[in-house]
């Protein structure tokens, strides 16, 4: 964002390239990759094999995961000349919040294990505080939500809910999220049963079954009240209890109950069909999250980006979050032009965290925003509002 505010000057996100070039004059070269392909390749060797396969893998033969990425190649921004502006504004309004950029960090259920210190959820929160990029924190974390939220600083966070079958535990999670300062509840709909993931199956690896990333359950007073012994004293029973309540196959009839849990905005994640989007809006939800879980849950579907325009049209003004397949700044801009209110980053930030901790994650976010900002500058789109459907064509 670049603007004059109360006499102050806020640099454009694209100015990150100037930092890099001027650093080079002093012999300082980037230690982090500048392309997604290199980021992915290096992360493969930085992460333990089981965590790498879990983050990098998808459902089935991973066709949907691949087309999520390649589908962006079919879309192109149309350059507009004589509209150049040295000042760009990439800020957005979302659920009453003014955010400095249109991106957020999507929920990643093992992000806590992607950091070398084993506290990746807190590292992600620290990166959110440094960049102003919100974190959508997964239900599945290494550290309890209260500890994670304490590191957000002035950046808002959102809580992603894998809705437990036990309604009292669900209420407790949402109440804790409210008390911790989260600004919205993002309800994931497409993971009430795990998808068929050959990479994980080949290593018989499901981290939560080994007790990883269950801190929100094990720290929850209602969940603990269901146990004869504490999770610390009897982890096996605690894990089995988690298994028994993970996987709530929600239906439309459950939306009134979900709404009763909180006054926070409720966002439904996994909506791809326009009729589902219309019905969700009619039911009173506050936002739609168009996503196919990055291709991790259901294989054989079309790319998530190919659903976006229809979903946006169906909800007619309701905020639409989007993720799945975002790999670079141009992907972000294309998703915005197709109507996304905000765009989620997934694997790229997990890999940045794996390679460089908080600094590595911040590098990835700044790089994505710099590329998006510079693309908008070169092509003559100085604000998010300029990125309308007429700005993009499908080739």
């Amino acid at each position: 964002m670049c603007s004059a505010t109360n006499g102050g000057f806020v640099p454009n996100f694209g100015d990150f390239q100037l930092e890099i070039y001027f650093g080079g004059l002093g012999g300082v070269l980037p230690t982090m990759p500048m392309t997604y392909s290199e980021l992915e390749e290096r992360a493969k060797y930085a992460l333990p094999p089981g965590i790498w396969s879990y983050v990098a893998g998808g459902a089935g033969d991973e066709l949907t995961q691949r087309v999520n990425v390649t589908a962006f190649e079919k879309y192109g921004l149309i350059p507009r000349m004589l509209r150049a502006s040295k000042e760009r504004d990439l800020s957005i309004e979302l659920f009453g919040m003014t955010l400095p950029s249109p991106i957020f960090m999507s929920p990643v259920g093992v992000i806590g294990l992607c950091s070398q210190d084993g506290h990746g959820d807190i590292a992600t929160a620290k990166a959110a505080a440094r960049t102003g990029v919100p974190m959508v924190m997964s239900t599945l974390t290494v550290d309890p939500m209260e500890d994670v939220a304490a590191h957000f600083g002035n950046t808002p966070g959102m809580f992603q809910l894998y809705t437990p079958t036990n309604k009292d535990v669900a209420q407790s999670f949402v109440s804790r999220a409210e008390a911790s300062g989260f600004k919205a509840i993002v309800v994931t709909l497409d993971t009430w049963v795990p998808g068929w993931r050959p990479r994980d199956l080949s290593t018989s690896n499901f981290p939560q079954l080994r007790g990883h990333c269950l801190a929100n359950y094990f720290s929850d007073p209602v969940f603990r009240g269901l146990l004869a012994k504490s999770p610390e004293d009897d982890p096996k029973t605690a894990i089995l209890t988690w298994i028994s309540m993970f996987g709530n196959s929600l239906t439309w009839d459950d939306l009134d109950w979900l709404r009763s849990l909180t006054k926070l905005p409720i966002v439904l994640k996994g909506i791809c069909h326009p009729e589902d989007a219309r019905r969700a809006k009619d039911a009173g939800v506050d936002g739609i999250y168009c996503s196919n879980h990055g291709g991790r849950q259901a294989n054989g579907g079309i790319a998530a980006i190919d659903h976006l325009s229809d979903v946006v049209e169906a909800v007619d003004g309701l905020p639409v979050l989007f993720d799945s397949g975002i790999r670079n700044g141009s992907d972000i801009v294309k998703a915005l032009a197709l109507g996304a209110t905000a765009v989620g980053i997934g694997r790229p930030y997990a890999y940045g965290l794996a390679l460089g901790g908080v600094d590595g994650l911040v590098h990835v976010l700044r790089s994505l925003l710099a590329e998006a900002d510079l693309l908008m500058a070169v092509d003559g789109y100085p604000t998010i509002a300029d990125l309308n459907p007429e700005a993009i064509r499908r080739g």
Side-chain angles (χ1 to χ4, degrees):
M1 177 178 179
C2 178
S3 63
T5 305
N6 297 325
F9 181 79
V10 181
N12 295 303
F13 291 114
D15 291 346
F16 183 40
Q17 71 171 348
L18 299 180
E19 290 184 32
I20 296 172
Y21 286 138
F22 281 117
L25 295 177
V28 179
L29 301 180
T31 58
M32 288 289 295
M34 301 305 304
T35 65
Y36 176 79
S37 59
E38 185 184 355
L39 184 71
E40 182 180 45
E41 181 66 18
R42 286 177 55 180
K44 180 177 181 179
Y45 299 100
L47 288 167
I51 302 304
W52 163 256
S53 67
Y54 192 90
V55 175
D61 68 359
E62 302 181 350
L63 171 65
T64 299
Q65 180 172 309
R66 292 193 298 275
V67 299
N68 273 344
V69 176
T70 58
F72 281 92
E73 298 173 4
K74 299 181 294 186
Y75 295 92
L77 205 63
I78 302 172
R80 299 297 304 274
M81 296 298 103
L82 299 175
R83 303 200 317 184
S85 174
K86 291 184 178 180
E87 298 182 0
R88 274 93 61 197
D89 184 355
L90 272 65
S91 65
I92 63 167
E93 299 291 325
L94 182 66
F95 307 134
M97 303 177 288
T98 300
L99 303 176
S101 81
I103 69 171
F104 62 93
M105 288 178 277
S106 300
V108 176
V110 293
I111 200 66
L113 303 178
C114 291
S115 176
Q116 298 300 322
D117 67 358
H119 294 279
D121 306 291
I122 287 176
T124 303
K126 289 179 178 179
R130 282 177 52 180
T131 60
V133 174
M135 172 190 187
V136 181
M137 193 199 79
S138 174
T139 298
L140 302 172
T141 59
V142 168
D143 292 287
M145 66 178 83
E146 293 83 358
D147 294 353
V148 177
H151 294 277
F152 283 151
N154 294 323
T155 301
M158 292 176 273
F159 178 72
Q160 176 267 337
L161 179 67
Y162 282 127
T163 312
T165 55
N166 184 302
K167 290 189 173 183
D168 292 332
V169 174
Q171 176 67 76
S172 183
F173 278 4
V174 173
S175 297
R176 289 170 61 194
E178 273 191 327
S180 299
F182 289 89
K183 302 302 183 184
I185 305 297
V186 177
V187 182
T188 293
L189 303 176
D190 61 4
T191 314
W192 61 272
V193 62
W196 181 258
R197 303 172 187 170
R199 291 204 211 192
D200 295 331
L201 290 164
S202 65
T203 58
S204 190
N205 177 52
F206 198 96
Q208 287 75 27
L209 295 182
R210 302 171 187 267
H212 297 303
C213 304
L214 298 179
N216 284 318
Y217 292 87
F218 291 178
S219 64
D220 189 81
V222 177
F223 181 89
R224 293 173 72 94
L226 301 173
L227 306 174
K229 296 181 180 180
S230 72
E232 296 78 20
D233 292 332
D234 186 2
K236 181 178 180 180
T237 298
I239 294 169
L240 291 173
T241 303
W242 169 75
I243 293 171
S244 73
M245 70 174 61
F246 185 84
N248 194 335
S249 51
L250 296 172
T251 70
W252 293 105
D253 293 336
D254 292 306
L255 292 187
D256 286 343
W257 167 68
L258 285 171
R259 178 74 279 172
S260 74
L261 298 180
T262 181
K263 294 181 179 179
L264 291 176
I266 289 180
V267 183
L268 297 186
K269 181 177 184 289
I271 299 286
C272 290
H273 196 290
E275 182 55 36
D276 290 344
R278 278 188 289 268
R279 190 169 180 180
K281 181 183 180 180
D282 291 344
V285 303
D286 302 282
I288 300 297
Y289 193 147
C290 180
S291 166
N292 62 21
H293 218 95
R296 288 179 48 74
Q297 274 295 91
N299 193 40
I302 67 175
I305 192 65
D306 289 334
H307 294 295
L308 180 57
S309 293
D310 289 341
V311 169
V312 170
E313 182 180 0
V315 298
D316 191 25
L318 202 69
V320 176
L321 284 64
F322 172 83
D323 76 12
S324 298
I326 300 294
R327 297 292 183 265
N328 53 53
S330 69
D331 294 341
I332 294 169
V333 174
K334 291 174 184 179
L336 293 169
L338 289 168
T341 308
V343 180
I345 314 302
R347 290 179 177 91
Y349 90 82
Y351 297 156
L353 176 63
L355 290 179
V358 177
D359 289 342
L361 202 168
V362 168
H363 168 87
V364 168
L365 296 177
R366 294 190 71 193
S367 297
L368 289 167
L369 285 170
E371 183 179 6
D373 176 41
L374 291 169
L375 176 62
M376 291 172 63
V378 171
D379 278 350
Y381 298 94
T383 71
I384 299 294
D386 296 313
L387 290 172
N388 55 49
E390 294 184 359
I392 194 167
R393 292 289 184 274
R394 180 169 176 165

